[in-house]
Amino acid sequence: MPLLSAAIQRIKPSPTIAVTNRAAALKAAGRDIIGLGAGEPDFDTPDFVKEAAIAAIHAGQTKYTQVDGTPALKAAIAAKFKRDNGLDYGLDQISVNVGGKHTIFNAMMATLDPGDEVVIPAPYWVSYPDIVLLTGATPVIVACGIDAGFKLTPAQLDAAITPRTKWLIFNSPSNPTGAAYSRDELAALAEVLVRHPHVHILSDDMYEHIVYEGFEFTTLAQVEPALYERTLTVNGASKAYAMTGWRIGFAGGPAPIIKAMAKIQSQSTSNPDSIAQWAVTAALNGPQDFLIERNAAFAKRRDVVVSMLNQTPGLRCPRPQGAFYVYPDCSGLIGKRTPAGGTLTDDEAVAAYFLDTEGVAVVHGAAFGGSPAFRISYATADTVLEEACTRIQRAVGKLT
Ligand SMILES: Cc1ncc(COP(=O)(O)O)c(C=O)c1O
């Protein structure tokens, strides 16, 4: 009898975490490495949020809380959904979890059986297919290419839905491409979803607050109220509030799904960290103006990276409207010869070449189901980004 389960053998470790770890190991070994693999802001958690956590410790908020979130945090989340998204959720429609990844994990574990299908537009965030695979359900990947702005079209969505489709996992602004859907684009997708009432929607809005040029963020349950009853709107503190390490994600959605998620949580992690919950309560209830300042910094960095990559022969880099990633196409590099005599056969080889020759860590597109390309996280200092792009240009310049 094999030790490891069939479920664990269906999945792989997170490739983005793997790249981050590899870059850290090389750095520890003394190499000059620039890591552009990690999906986290380089900004610090705001001071008022840290203070709230310290106050919570002093106030003795260090015990078990309600399994799926304190009433205070749920109230702050309900207020956030109302304020930012025009969505009304009662406290029994809100789940608080150990990061957004855990929110998605619980939702899928609570609802999927073998044979169920989940539509996932690609390029996708690395964890979606593997979480689905762990449940025994089947990810149905829909390729959305660079020429479509990496966006799912209504016709593609319609064609991907079968009687077995249980969920669409939808993410805007997107990790890894930064693509952000307009209200009209969402309305066109919603029109298809309205025609398929058995399909639920997981709207992953993790990058809601990281948008540029006055882009108006909207979410599916808001754009099409007919979808409210079958949409789980997922969000979290990690990206907007630079709180990746605190591990708080949350969702608003149908009470039966929320209740089932709490059941799983009650038998696994129990409540998310009590102190982090108080910190996120403060983050959601507190001033939000620092987001604008940080977005301005992100936009500047994006422009530097997009411009430098587009000046690199063989790369083609769209200019995204959200998140802090760019996703350059590298088909022009495939088949090229490296100075060491190797051939760049795919985007994994391209990423390995950048790391080996110039010490720049990026994540290959195959990890996100969209090749040949790679993802750069530009949530790092301007000077570091310029140096990284200069190194990429130098590495490309040596190819024949
Ligand atoms: C699209 C998307 N959803 C969810 C998450 C999960 O975030 P968390 O760190 O809160 O688990 C991430 C993090 O990278 C993400 O990029």
Side-chain angles (χ1 to χ4, degrees):
M1 191 192 288
L3 171 63
L4 300 182
S5 67
I8 198 71
Q9 293 183 59
R10 283 195 292 271
I11 67 167
K12 58 184 180 319
S14 162
T16 44
I17 293 177
V19 169
T20 308
N21 289 347
R22 186 157 146 69
L26 288 171
K27 214 170 192 166
R31 287 268 322 264
D32 172 18
I33 301 293
I34 301 180
L36 304 178
E40 66 180 348
D42 59 324
F43 297 120
D44 202 1
T45 302
D47 283 341
F48 74 92
V49 176
K50 291 183 189 169
E51 293 303 332
I54 293 165
I57 294 174
H58 287 308
Q61 302 287 358
T62 52
K63 304 282 177 31
Y64 290 131
T65 73
Q66 291 81 353
V67 164
D68 67 348
T70 62
L73 178 50
K74 287 189 177 186
I77 292 167
K80 171 260 170 301
F81 277 132
K82 183 74 184 158
R83 173 181 74 224
D84 298 337
N85 313 116
L87 292 171
D88 284 300
Y89 291 118
L91 299 199
D92 63 337
Q93 291 181 281
I94 289 174
S95 182
V96 185
N97 323 99
V98 187
K101 188 182 282 187
H102 187 221
T103 306
I104 298 165
F105 183 87
N106 281 351
M108 294 300 115
M109 289 304 263
T111 56
L112 290 176
D113 285 314
D116 292 341
E117 294 176 359
V118 178
V119 174
I120 303 175
Y124 46 70
W125 180 49
V126 290
S127 293
Y128 299 147
D130 287 83
I131 290 174
V132 170
L133 286 169
L134 200 54
T135 70
T138 306
V140 174
I141 308 298
V142 183
C144 307
I146 189 169
D147 293 321
F150 302 116
K151 289 178 187 172
L152 178 70
T153 66
Q156 281 180 309
L157 175 59
D158 204 28
I161 292 172
T162 76
R164 305 304 309 259
T165 308
K166 202 153 210 181
W167 289 94
L168 161 69
I169 299 187
F170 187 78
N171 176 220
S172 166
S174 150
N175 177 2
T177 65
Y181 290 67
S182 69
R183 180 185 282 272
D184 286 351
E185 287 166 338
L186 291 186
L189 293 173
E191 196 259 319
V192 174
L193 292 163
V194 166
R195 283 193 277 110
H196 297 283
H198 67 293
V199 178
H200 288 73
I201 301 108
L202 188 153
S203 182
D204 181 346
D205 299 352
M206 196 55 78
Y207 295 92
E208 161 178 24
H209 291 299
I210 304 174
V211 290
Y212 311 116
E213 283 93 35
F215 177 87
E216 184 212 2
F217 174 86
T218 48
T219 188
L220 273 163
Q222 167 190 28
V223 169
E224 177 46 86
L227 297 179
Y228 171 86
E229 291 294 340
R230 50 189 166 104
T231 299
L232 190 70
T233 304
V234 173
N235 214 313
S238 296
K239 313 292 171 165
Y241 301 104
M243 296 182 73
T244 46
W246 299 73
R247 310 307 305 136
I248 298 289
F250 52 82
I257 298 178
I258 296 294
K259 201 167 159 199
M261 289 166 68
K263 195 166 163 186
I264 292 178
Q265 198 151 298
S266 77
Q267 296 293 15
S268 51
T269 58
S270 288
N271 62 272
D273 177 278
S274 60
I275 299 152
Q277 289 191 69
W278 284 104
V280 173
T281 305
L284 293 173
N285 288 340
Q288 307 288 307
D289 44 339
F290 66 92
L291 294 170
I292 296 167
E293 220 171 276
R294 291 183 173 188
N295 282 357
F298 277 142
K300 209 169 129 232
R301 295 166 177 183
R302 174 202 56 179
D303 289 344
V304 168
V305 173
V306 168
S307 158
M308 289 185 76
L309 293 178
N310 278 328
Q311 286 167 43
T312 311
L315 297 183
R316 182 177 159 212
C317 186
R319 184 167 174 268
Q321 282 183 290
F324 40 70
Y325 309 103
V326 291
Y327 200 70
D329 173 294
C330 62
S331 33
L333 304 186
I334 305 302
K336 297 262 185 197
R337 309 268 307 162
T338 69
T343 303
L344 299 181
T345 48
D346 54 21
D347 53 26
E348 192 162 5
V350 171
Y353 172 65
F354 290 161
L355 187 58
D356 292 342
T357 58
E358 291 288 348
V360 179
V362 301
V363 186
H364 56 288
F368 308 98
S371 289
F374 56 90
R375 188 193 78 173
I376 283 181
S377 167
Y378 58 81
T380 193
D382 303 26
T383 48
V384 174
L385 288 170
E386 275 174 40
E387 170 64 15
C389 291
T390 303
R391 292 187 189 190
I392 288 174
Q393 288 178 338
R394 195 159 57 217
V396 170
K398 289 183 200 153
L399 296 171
T400 50

